[in-house]
Amino acid sequence: MVGRYPFDVVIVIGGGFAGVESAWALAERGVKVQLLEMRPVENTPAHTTTYLAELVCSNSLKSKLPTSPAGQLKGEMEALGSVVLSTAREHEVPAGEALGVDRNAFGEAITAKIANHPNIELVRAKADPKFIEEHLAAGNKVILATGPLTSPDVAEWLAQKTGRGHLYFYDAVSPTVDAATIDRSIAFSQSRYDKGGDDYLNCPFNKESYEAFVEALITAERAPFHAFEAGGKRDGDGQEAEAELLKKIKYFAGCTPIEVIADKGARSLAFGNFKPVGLTDPRTGRRPWAALQLRPENKEKSLFSLVACQTRLKWGEQKRVFRMVPGLENAEFVRFGVIHRNTYIEAPKVLSSNLELREIPGLFIAGQLTGVEGYVESAAMGILAGLEVFRALNGLEHVLAPRHCAYGSLMSHLMDDTPREFAPMNINWGLFPDPEGSSLKRDKDQRKAKKLEAAQVAFREWHAALAL
Ligand SMILES: Cc1cc2nc3c(=O)[nH]c(=O)nc-3n(C[C@H](O)[C@H](O)[C@H](O)COP(=O)(O)OP(=O)(O)OC[C@H]3O[C@@H](n4cnc5c(N)ncnc54)[C@H](O)[C@@H]3O)c2cc1C
């Protein structure tokens, strides 16, 4: 590989899952890195240790089955030299099909690997906007990997720089389903009053199915609130936090959870989120009692989100309740609804496919900030940001991950400019493009096997093209 040492330092901000991977990817290729982590000088409301790549909640790095979407992503990350995964394997604990880790041993080990790397200078300090601007002005590449709980000053700066409206402070997400699992003999495609094409699918309720759905929705179990998400103390939760959080979410995201709307009265959804005006059910020739609309989440229409169904129900409950919607009885959920504190950019509007901000040359974004979700996906986007900076420093051409592999699928989520409520996404089958052939669309297992086969071929080609 050309030119190993001619550069000044690369600045990586945030020593979470993405930041350690970016730093590692660069340092292992001979580039000097300064990695800034603000803990323990300043803490986030969710982190509790001084470890880099802290697992703030579960100790699971998802499925390690090579035939699962998360397994395929792991295989690709390992081929690219993931330090998170190699350390996780060294400190694995039994967790069935999942890659579970001993959280303290993992934290200690990964912190030591980074701190002891001869090309990495680990600095325990908070980066502020002035620091970032000075390094950019000096011509240094900066990778921003400050995660879902980015310090408020940097988040505010990023919001200003990317243009208001392109940085989110909260997730308020509706569930998304795999298009192939929607019953098209019930759900029909039509826009209201036939205006605007037939992009939307409509799940028609009659009076009985609507009332049963509303009853299940308002009595379903809701996820607990964390006070810190509403700006309160770290550990408390409860009604006050709930009210405060909902106020903030309404302010930032302009939405109310569907169950809260349903609480207001039996017909509130039929007159609001599920109003059936301008729709005609082809099976009856009449307007349905109410209709839940589904909107495509990508150009290929392999994913559909449930319009105006932002929810804080527990995930198991979402599956149970939304499967009561006519047409969604067998739907596979690839993303559940969430409403929580998060920070991420509107990638399709502001990010280039090499993870550099279009309006701020030299500033690369990594991890959850890009619009992916989860430890593994964030780490994956950390490796990629490191590799992109390395290529940029060496004057090497940007080689976009092909659409069919796991990296290409995540990138497609970040780059797809289909009008939608852009929200962070885990790796899932729905992100991988459908195989050719309509018969394959009907057989779930065959479809997945074909997707996997295509992913492996595509990744091998990309890996070869990267010439690492
Ligand atoms: C409460 C909560 C629970 C979660 N549970 C799970 C789960 O069970 N499973 C799962 O897969 N994912 C979970 N996630 C998501 C997961 O934490 C993220 O996907 C992942 O950590 C994101 O990686 P990252 O590197 O982008 O950010 P992080 O891992 O959060 O790392 C960002 C780092 O940047 C530092 N930082 C922030 N601002 C600055 C600054 N200005 N200067 C210097 N350093 C800074 C922070 O201290 C932090 O160490 C959870 C998230 C939260 C908030």
mmCIF file of all heavy atoms in Angstrom, residues 184 187-204 276-283 285-288 291-296 304:
data_model
loop_
_atom_site.group_PDB
_atom_site.id
_atom_site.type_symbol
_atom_site.label_atom_id
_atom_site.label_comp_id
_atom_site.label_asym_id
_atom_site.label_seq_id
_atom_site.Cartn_x
_atom_site.Cartn_y
_atom_site.Cartn_z
ATOM 1 N N ARG A 184 -50.817 -9.117 0.530
ATOM 2 C CA ARG A 184 -51.300 -8.209 -0.514
ATOM 3 C C ARG A 184 -52.720 -8.542 -0.961
ATOM 4 O O ARG A 184 -53.293 -7.828 -1.768
ATOM 5 C CB ARG A 184 -50.377 -8.230 -1.737
ATOM 6 C CG ARG A 184 -48.937 -7.887 -1.462
ATOM 7 C CD ARG A 184 -48.776 -6.448 -0.979
ATOM 8 N NE ARG A 184 -47.384 -6.192 -0.648
ATOM 9 C CZ ARG A 184 -46.566 -5.421 -1.362
ATOM 10 N NH1 ARG A 184 -46.986 -4.791 -2.414
ATOM 11 N NH2 ARG A 184 -45.309 -5.252 -0.977
ATOM 12 N N ALA A 187 -53.996 -5.926 1.993
ATOM 13 C CA ALA A 187 -53.441 -4.566 1.895
ATOM 14 C C ALA A 187 -53.448 -4.144 0.427
ATOM 15 O O ALA A 187 -53.004 -4.894 -0.431
ATOM 16 C CB ALA A 187 -52.021 -4.552 2.440
ATOM 17 N N PHE A 188 -53.969 -2.976 0.147
ATOM 18 C CA PHE A 188 -54.052 -2.530 -1.256
ATOM 19 C C PHE A 188 -53.259 -1.240 -1.460
ATOM 20 O O PHE A 188 -53.121 -0.432 -0.547
ATOM 21 C CB PHE A 188 -55.502 -2.341 -1.700
ATOM 22 C CG PHE A 188 -56.285 -1.342 -0.882
ATOM 23 C CD1 PHE A 188 -56.417 -0.024 -1.309
ATOM 24 C CD2 PHE A 188 -56.873 -1.711 0.313
ATOM 25 C CE1 PHE A 188 -57.138 0.901 -0.563
ATOM 26 C CE2 PHE A 188 -57.593 -0.794 1.071
ATOM 27 C CZ PHE A 188 -57.723 0.518 0.637
ATOM 28 N N SER A 189 -52.716 -1.090 -2.674
ATOM 29 C CA SER A 189 -51.922 0.113 -2.917
ATOM 30 C C SER A 189 -52.807 1.206 -3.510
ATOM 31 O O SER A 189 -53.532 0.972 -4.487
ATOM 32 C CB SER A 189 -50.734 -0.197 -3.826
ATOM 33 O OG SER A 189 -51.158 -0.863 -4.974
ATOM 34 N N GLN A 190 -52.759 2.351 -2.887
ATOM 35 C CA GLN A 190 -53.545 3.513 -3.334
ATOM 36 C C GLN A 190 -53.136 4.723 -2.494
ATOM 37 O O GLN A 190 -52.887 4.593 -1.293
ATOM 38 C CB GLN A 190 -55.048 3.249 -3.102
ATOM 39 C CG GLN A 190 -55.940 4.286 -3.731
ATOM 40 C CD GLN A 190 -57.426 4.046 -3.380
ATOM 41 O OE1 GLN A 190 -57.777 3.629 -2.282
ATOM 42 N NE2 GLN A 190 -58.279 4.319 -4.334
ATOM 43 N N SER A 191 -53.023 5.886 -3.163
ATOM 44 C CA SER A 191 -52.849 7.117 -2.399
ATOM 45 C C SER A 191 -54.219 7.742 -2.210
ATOM 46 O O SER A 191 -55.134 7.480 -3.001
ATOM 47 C CB SER A 191 -51.940 8.086 -3.149
ATOM 48 O OG SER A 191 -50.630 7.621 -3.100
ATOM 49 N N ARG A 192 -54.352 8.569 -1.175
ATOM 50 C CA ARG A 192 -55.668 9.182 -0.924
ATOM 51 C C ARG A 192 -56.175 9.897 -2.169
ATOM 52 O O ARG A 192 -55.439 10.637 -2.797
ATOM 53 C CB ARG A 192 -55.567 10.196 0.208
ATOM 54 C CG ARG A 192 -55.386 9.552 1.546
ATOM 55 C CD ARG A 192 -55.512 10.575 2.656
ATOM 56 N NE ARG A 192 -54.835 10.081 3.842
ATOM 57 C CZ ARG A 192 -55.301 9.119 4.633
ATOM 58 N NH1 ARG A 192 -56.466 8.553 4.370
ATOM 59 N NH2 ARG A 192 -54.604 8.709 5.678
ATOM 60 N N TYR A 193 -57.432 9.696 -2.498
ATOM 61 C CA TYR A 193 -58.092 10.291 -3.677
ATOM 62 C C TYR A 193 -57.308 9.994 -4.966
ATOM 63 O O TYR A 193 -57.362 10.749 -5.924
ATOM 64 C CB TYR A 193 -58.249 11.815 -3.509
ATOM 65 C CG TYR A 193 -59.010 12.191 -2.260
ATOM 66 C CD1 TYR A 193 -58.364 12.773 -1.181
ATOM 67 C CD2 TYR A 193 -60.377 11.933 -2.167
ATOM 68 C CE1 TYR A 193 -59.054 13.097 -0.022
ATOM 69 C CE2 TYR A 193 -61.080 12.255 -1.003
ATOM 70 C CZ TYR A 193 -60.404 12.829 0.054
ATOM 71 O OH TYR A 193 -61.092 13.134 1.202
ATOM 72 N N ASP A 194 -56.527 8.895 -4.925
ATOM 73 C CA ASP A 194 -55.718 8.496 -6.085
ATOM 74 C C ASP A 194 -54.753 9.590 -6.522
ATOM 75 O O ASP A 194 -54.367 9.662 -7.683
ATOM 76 C CB ASP A 194 -56.608 8.076 -7.263
ATOM 77 C CG ASP A 194 -57.308 6.761 -6.967
ATOM 78 O OD1 ASP A 194 -56.657 5.877 -6.360
ATOM 79 O OD2 ASP A 194 -58.501 6.635 -7.308
ATOM 80 N N LYS A 195 -54.383 10.456 -5.576
ATOM 81 C CA LYS A 195 -53.424 11.510 -5.910
ATOM 82 C C LYS A 195 -52.051 11.090 -5.425
ATOM 83 O O LYS A 195 -51.900 10.720 -4.262
ATOM 84 C CB LYS A 195 -53.814 12.826 -5.223
ATOM 85 C CG LYS A 195 -54.929 13.544 -5.921
ATOM 86 C CD LYS A 195 -55.197 14.868 -5.232
ATOM 87 C CE LYS A 195 -56.476 15.472 -5.789
ATOM 88 N NZ LYS A 195 -57.113 16.385 -4.859
ATOM 89 N N GLY A 196 -51.058 11.161 -6.284
ATOM 90 C CA GLY A 196 -49.679 10.915 -5.829
ATOM 91 C C GLY A 196 -49.232 9.486 -6.029
ATOM 92 O O GLY A 196 -48.402 9.000 -5.262
ATOM 93 N N GLY A 197 -49.770 8.778 -7.026
ATOM 94 C CA GLY A 197 -49.259 7.438 -7.344
ATOM 95 C C GLY A 197 -49.761 6.397 -6.374
ATOM 96 O O GLY A 197 -50.627 6.651 -5.530
ATOM 97 N N ASP A 198 -49.217 5.191 -6.491
ATOM 98 C CA ASP A 198 -49.700 4.102 -5.630
ATOM 99 C C ASP A 198 -48.581 3.593 -4.729
ATOM 100 O O ASP A 198 -48.434 2.406 -4.496
ATOM 101 C CB ASP A 198 -50.285 2.979 -6.486
ATOM 102 C CG ASP A 198 -49.261 2.437 -7.470
ATOM 103 O OD1 ASP A 198 -48.128 2.970 -7.486
ATOM 104 O OD2 ASP A 198 -49.582 1.480 -8.189
ATOM 105 N N ASP A 199 -47.762 4.525 -4.241
ATOM 106 C CA ASP A 199 -46.653 4.131 -3.380
ATOM 107 C C ASP A 199 -47.122 3.574 -2.037
ATOM 108 O O ASP A 199 -46.494 2.714 -1.460
ATOM 109 C CB ASP A 199 -45.737 5.333 -3.118
ATOM 110 C CG ASP A 199 -44.823 5.592 -4.310
ATOM 111 O OD1 ASP A 199 -44.717 4.683 -5.148
ATOM 112 O OD2 ASP A 199 -44.252 6.693 -4.390
ATOM 113 N N TYR A 200 -48.217 4.121 -1.539
ATOM 114 C CA TYR A 200 -48.690 3.711 -0.213
ATOM 115 C C TYR A 200 -49.460 2.397 -0.278
ATOM 116 O O TYR A 200 -50.178 2.139 -1.256
ATOM 117 C CB TYR A 200 -49.622 4.766 0.369
ATOM 118 C CG TYR A 200 -48.889 5.973 0.921
ATOM 119 C CD1 TYR A 200 -48.440 6.987 0.087
ATOM 120 C CD2 TYR A 200 -48.638 6.084 2.288
ATOM 121 C CE1 TYR A 200 -47.759 8.083 0.595
ATOM 122 C CE2 TYR A 200 -47.962 7.179 2.807
ATOM 123 C CZ TYR A 200 -47.526 8.173 1.953
ATOM 124 O OH TYR A 200 -46.851 9.248 2.466
ATOM 125 N N LEU A 201 -49.301 1.583 0.754
ATOM 126 C CA LEU A 201 -50.184 0.422 0.918
ATOM 127 C C LEU A 201 -51.145 0.761 2.049
ATOM 128 O O LEU A 201 -50.776 1.480 2.987
ATOM 129 C CB LEU A 201 -49.381 -0.820 1.311
ATOM 130 C CG LEU A 201 -48.474 -1.442 0.250
ATOM 131 C CD1 LEU A 201 -47.731 -2.630 0.848
ATOM 132 C CD2 LEU A 201 -49.299 -1.893 -0.957
ATOM 133 N N ASN A 202 -52.357 0.239 1.963
ATOM 134 C CA ASN A 202 -53.361 0.543 2.984
ATOM 135 C C ASN A 202 -53.896 -0.750 3.591
ATOM 136 O O ASN A 202 -54.303 -1.659 2.853
ATOM 137 C CB ASN A 202 -54.531 1.304 2.353
ATOM 138 C CG ASN A 202 -54.043 2.558 1.652
ATOM 139 O OD1 ASN A 202 -53.776 3.567 2.286
ATOM 140 N ND2 ASN A 202 -53.893 2.490 0.330
ATOM 141 N N CYS A 203 -53.889 -0.816 4.915
ATOM 142 C CA CYS A 203 -54.446 -1.974 5.606
ATOM 143 C C CYS A 203 -55.820 -1.564 6.117
ATOM 144 O O CYS A 203 -55.918 -0.736 7.038
ATOM 145 C CB CYS A 203 -53.550 -2.379 6.774
ATOM 146 S SG CYS A 203 -51.926 -2.913 6.242
ATOM 147 N N PRO A 204 -56.894 -2.116 5.512
ATOM 148 C CA PRO A 204 -58.237 -1.639 5.841
ATOM 149 C C PRO A 204 -58.832 -2.333 7.071
ATOM 150 O O PRO A 204 -58.841 -3.562 7.159
ATOM 151 C CB PRO A 204 -59.032 -2.012 4.584
ATOM 152 C CG PRO A 204 -58.324 -3.216 4.038
ATOM 153 C CD PRO A 204 -56.889 -3.161 4.482
ATOM 154 N N PRO A 276 -59.682 7.159 7.020
ATOM 155 C CA PRO A 276 -59.771 6.412 5.751
ATOM 156 C C PRO A 276 -60.184 7.268 4.564
ATOM 157 O O PRO A 276 -60.428 6.730 3.489
ATOM 158 C CB PRO A 276 -60.865 5.391 6.073
ATOM 159 C CG PRO A 276 -61.757 6.106 7.043
ATOM 160 C CD PRO A 276 -60.910 7.076 7.820
ATOM 161 N N VAL A 277 -60.263 8.596 4.741
ATOM 162 C CA VAL A 277 -60.801 9.422 3.649
ATOM 163 C C VAL A 277 -59.977 9.287 2.373
ATOM 164 O O VAL A 277 -58.752 9.184 2.415
ATOM 165 C CB VAL A 277 -60.875 10.925 4.044
ATOM 166 C CG1 VAL A 277 -61.896 11.148 5.135
ATOM 167 C CG2 VAL A 277 -59.509 11.450 4.452
ATOM 168 N N GLY A 278 -60.690 9.261 1.262
ATOM 169 C CA GLY A 278 -60.026 9.191 -0.043
ATOM 170 C C GLY A 278 -59.548 7.797 -0.409
ATOM 171 O O GLY A 278 -58.839 7.625 -1.395
ATOM 172 N N LEU A 279 -59.931 6.788 0.390
ATOM 173 C CA LEU A 279 -59.488 5.410 0.108
ATOM 174 C C LEU A 279 -60.687 4.517 -0.198
ATOM 175 O O LEU A 279 -61.749 4.666 0.422
ATOM 176 C CB LEU A 279 -58.738 4.836 1.312
ATOM 177 C CG LEU A 279 -57.452 5.566 1.718
ATOM 178 C CD1 LEU A 279 -56.909 5.003 3.030
ATOM 179 C CD2 LEU A 279 -56.380 5.440 0.629
ATOM 180 N N THR A 280 -60.524 3.603 -1.131
ATOM 181 C CA THR A 280 -61.581 2.642 -1.451
ATOM 182 C C THR A 280 -60.984 1.240 -1.421
ATOM 183 O O THR A 280 -60.028 0.951 -2.159
ATOM 184 C CB THR A 280 -62.155 2.902 -2.861
ATOM 185 O OG1 THR A 280 -62.524 4.279 -2.935
ATOM 186 C CG2 THR A 280 -63.355 2.023 -3.136
ATOM 187 N N ASP A 281 -61.535 0.400 -0.540
ATOM 188 C CA ASP A 281 -61.036 -0.976 -0.438
ATOM 189 C C ASP A 281 -61.523 -1.755 -1.667
ATOM 190 O O ASP A 281 -62.735 -1.918 -1.853
ATOM 191 C CB ASP A 281 -61.583 -1.599 0.856
ATOM 192 C CG ASP A 281 -61.036 -2.994 1.090
ATOM 193 O OD1 ASP A 281 -60.449 -3.584 0.148
ATOM 194 O OD2 ASP A 281 -61.182 -3.499 2.214
ATOM 195 N N PRO A 282 -60.609 -2.248 -2.534
ATOM 196 C CA PRO A 282 -61.057 -2.938 -3.755
ATOM 197 C C PRO A 282 -61.870 -4.197 -3.455
ATOM 198 O O PRO A 282 -62.663 -4.635 -4.293
ATOM 199 C CB PRO A 282 -59.743 -3.285 -4.468
ATOM 200 C CG PRO A 282 -58.647 -3.064 -3.504
ATOM 201 C CD PRO A 282 -59.156 -2.180 -2.408
ATOM 202 N N ARG A 283 -61.718 -4.761 -2.245
ATOM 203 C CA ARG A 283 -62.480 -5.992 -1.949
ATOM 204 C C ARG A 283 -63.954 -5.690 -1.697
ATOM 205 O O ARG A 283 -64.815 -6.516 -1.928
ATOM 206 C CB ARG A 283 -61.897 -6.689 -0.715
ATOM 207 C CG ARG A 283 -60.544 -7.363 -0.999
ATOM 208 C CD ARG A 283 -60.067 -8.105 0.228
ATOM 209 N NE ARG A 283 -60.114 -7.247 1.408
ATOM 210 C CZ ARG A 283 -60.059 -7.669 2.652
ATOM 211 N NH1 ARG A 283 -59.969 -8.957 2.894
ATOM 212 N NH2 ARG A 283 -60.095 -6.821 3.668
ATOM 213 N N GLY A 285 -65.320 -2.328 -2.382
ATOM 214 C CA GLY A 285 -65.752 -1.178 -3.187
ATOM 215 C C GLY A 285 -66.155 0.004 -2.316
ATOM 216 O O GLY A 285 -66.711 0.985 -2.800
ATOM 217 N N ARG A 286 -65.884 -0.096 -1.001
ATOM 218 C CA ARG A 286 -66.298 0.986 -0.085
ATOM 219 C C ARG A 286 -65.102 1.526 0.702
ATOM 220 O O ARG A 286 -64.045 0.896 0.776
ATOM 221 C CB ARG A 286 -67.323 0.439 0.916
ATOM 222 C CG ARG A 286 -68.658 0.091 0.303
ATOM 223 C CD ARG A 286 -69.765 0.126 1.349
ATOM 224 N NE ARG A 286 -69.410 -0.677 2.519
ATOM 225 C CZ ARG A 286 -69.720 -1.949 2.671
ATOM 226 N NH1 ARG A 286 -70.365 -2.582 1.726
ATOM 227 N NH2 ARG A 286 -69.365 -2.588 3.769
ATOM 228 N N ARG A 287 -65.356 2.676 1.310
ATOM 229 C CA ARG A 287 -64.338 3.244 2.190
ATOM 230 C C ARG A 287 -64.229 2.379 3.444
ATOM 231 O O ARG A 287 -65.264 2.045 4.048
ATOM 232 C CB ARG A 287 -64.777 4.663 2.575
ATOM 233 C CG ARG A 287 -63.745 5.406 3.360
ATOM 234 C CD ARG A 287 -64.073 6.883 3.302
ATOM 235 N NE ARG A 287 -64.753 7.307 4.506
ATOM 236 C CZ ARG A 287 -65.112 8.545 4.745
ATOM 237 N NH1 ARG A 287 -64.903 9.489 3.852
ATOM 238 N NH2 ARG A 287 -65.699 8.853 5.868
ATOM 239 N N PRO A 288 -63.010 2.003 3.853
ATOM 240 C CA PRO A 288 -62.913 1.205 5.084
ATOM 241 C C PRO A 288 -63.276 2.034 6.325
ATOM 242 O O PRO A 288 -63.330 3.259 6.260
ATOM 243 C CB PRO A 288 -61.444 0.789 5.118
ATOM 244 C CG PRO A 288 -60.727 1.626 4.122
ATOM 245 C CD PRO A 288 -61.720 2.258 3.212
ATOM 246 N N ALA A 291 -57.992 3.025 8.246
ATOM 247 C CA ALA A 291 -56.920 2.378 7.455
ATOM 248 C C ALA A 291 -55.554 2.769 7.980
ATOM 249 O O ALA A 291 -55.283 3.947 8.228
ATOM 250 C CB ALA A 291 -57.032 2.763 5.990
ATOM 251 N N LEU A 292 -54.719 1.757 8.169
ATOM 252 C CA LEU A 292 -53.332 2.034 8.534
ATOM 253 C C LEU A 292 -52.541 2.076 7.225
ATOM 254 O O LEU A 292 -52.616 1.136 6.432
ATOM 255 C CB LEU A 292 -52.813 0.931 9.452
ATOM 256 C CG LEU A 292 -51.416 1.108 10.038
ATOM 257 C CD1 LEU A 292 -51.279 0.297 11.317
ATOM 258 C CD2 LEU A 292 -50.307 0.684 9.086
ATOM 259 N N GLN A 293 -51.831 3.158 7.006
ATOM 260 C CA GLN A 293 -51.062 3.264 5.758
ATOM 261 C C GLN A 293 -49.622 2.807 5.975
ATOM 262 O O GLN A 293 -49.039 2.994 7.052
ATOM 263 C CB GLN A 293 -51.062 4.712 5.265
ATOM 264 C CG GLN A 293 -52.422 5.134 4.721
ATOM 265 C CD GLN A 293 -52.301 6.307 3.754
ATOM 266 O OE1 GLN A 293 -51.837 7.377 4.124
ATOM 267 N NE2 GLN A 293 -52.735 6.106 2.519
ATOM 268 N N LEU A 294 -49.056 2.224 4.924
ATOM 269 C CA LEU A 294 -47.659 1.785 4.940
ATOM 270 C C LEU A 294 -46.919 2.552 3.858
ATOM 271 O O LEU A 294 -47.436 2.673 2.735
ATOM 272 C CB LEU A 294 -47.558 0.293 4.640
ATOM 273 C CG LEU A 294 -48.291 -0.646 5.594
ATOM 274 C CD1 LEU A 294 -48.428 -2.022 4.967
ATOM 275 C CD2 LEU A 294 -47.541 -0.765 6.899
ATOM 276 N N ARG A 295 -45.732 3.035 4.197
ATOM 277 C CA ARG A 295 -44.977 3.842 3.229
ATOM 278 C C ARG A 295 -43.646 3.151 2.916
ATOM 279 O O ARG A 295 -42.981 2.639 3.834
ATOM 280 C CB ARG A 295 -44.700 5.208 3.847
ATOM 281 C CG ARG A 295 -43.870 6.139 2.958
ATOM 282 C CD ARG A 295 -43.761 7.533 3.554
ATOM 283 N NE ARG A 295 -43.444 7.470 4.960
ATOM 284 C CZ ARG A 295 -43.918 8.312 5.877
ATOM 285 N NH1 ARG A 295 -44.708 9.288 5.551
ATOM 286 N NH2 ARG A 295 -43.587 8.174 7.149
ATOM 287 N N PRO A 296 -43.235 3.130 1.615
ATOM 288 C CA PRO A 296 -41.954 2.469 1.310
ATOM 289 C C PRO A 296 -40.797 3.169 2.014
ATOM 290 O O PRO A 296 -40.782 4.392 2.107
ATOM 291 C CB PRO A 296 -41.804 2.615 -0.199
ATOM 292 C CG PRO A 296 -42.998 3.331 -0.695
ATOM 293 C CD PRO A 296 -43.865 3.720 0.435
ATOM 294 N N PHE A 304 -41.393 -1.505 4.363
ATOM 295 C CA PHE A 304 -42.463 -0.512 4.510
ATOM 296 C C PHE A 304 -42.585 -0.135 5.983
ATOM 297 O O PHE A 304 -42.530 -1.005 6.858
ATOM 298 C CB PHE A 304 -43.806 -1.085 4.045
ATOM 299 C CG PHE A 304 -44.016 -0.990 2.554
ATOM 300 C CD1 PHE A 304 -43.430 -1.916 1.695
ATOM 301 C CD2 PHE A 304 -44.784 0.026 2.004
ATOM 302 C CE1 PHE A 304 -43.613 -1.831 0.321
ATOM 303 C CE2 PHE A 304 -44.970 0.120 0.631
ATOM 304 C CZ PHE A 304 -44.387 -0.807 -0.216
#
